[in-house]
Amino acid sequence: KVLEVTKSTYFPSFNRLCREVSLARVEANNNVNFLMPLQRYFEKLNLCDEFQELVEMFKPIMHLILLVWKHSKYYNTAARLVVLMREICNDL
């Protein structure tokens, strides 16, 4: 507010930065809401020693990833899902 009232030359840049941060926060909160259900499966996947246990976890993990893909406003791009799938593969 002070920058705006004083007609500072920094105001447009600062205002744009504030809008970008606000949008990034909304996106991050949305991503957390959609990815949180996967966390418990990823923790189990990380601790899993038996192959048979891994096989049983893939169906619910893939189902949750499909739900993220279909319903998330921000986490529904191929690039984001490729990173997620790569992390799963690296964890195996």
Side-chain angles (χ1 to χ4, degrees):
K1 201 81 167 145
V2 172
L3 292 176
E4 183 179 12
V5 170
T6 60
K7 297 180 180 170
S8 171
T9 58
Y10 295 110
F11 176 69
S13 298
F14 186 75
N15 195 31
R16 186 182 73 247
L17 182 63
C18 286
R19 283 193 309 269
E20 289 174 8
V21 167
S22 180
L23 291 174
R25 183 185 53 82
V26 169
E27 180 179 343
N29 287 338
N30 186 271
N31 289 343
V32 166
N33 287 337
F34 280 98
L35 295 176
M36 190 62 71
L38 285 164
Q39 184 177 1
R40 74 178 186 138
Y41 289 104
F42 292 157
E43 288 170 357
K44 286 181 184 179
L45 194 65
N46 195 25
L47 299 173
C48 193
D49 292 331
E50 305 259 344
F51 183 75
Q52 187 58 34
E53 292 176 35
L54 291 174
V55 173
E56 294 169 4
M57 282 191 280
F58 276 111
K59 186 174 181 180
I61 288 174
M62 295 312 258
H63 179 74
L64 286 170
I65 290 173
L66 174 68
L67 291 174
V68 169
W69 172 266
K70 291 187 78 125
H71 299 289
S72 173
K73 185 175 179 180
Y74 302 100
Y75 218 92
N76 60 358
T77 64
R80 295 242 174 132
L81 289 178
V82 164
V83 171
L84 185 61
M85 296 301 289
R86 188 174 292 143
E87 288 297 323
I88 292 170
C89 292
N90 288 344
D91 210 20
L92 298 177

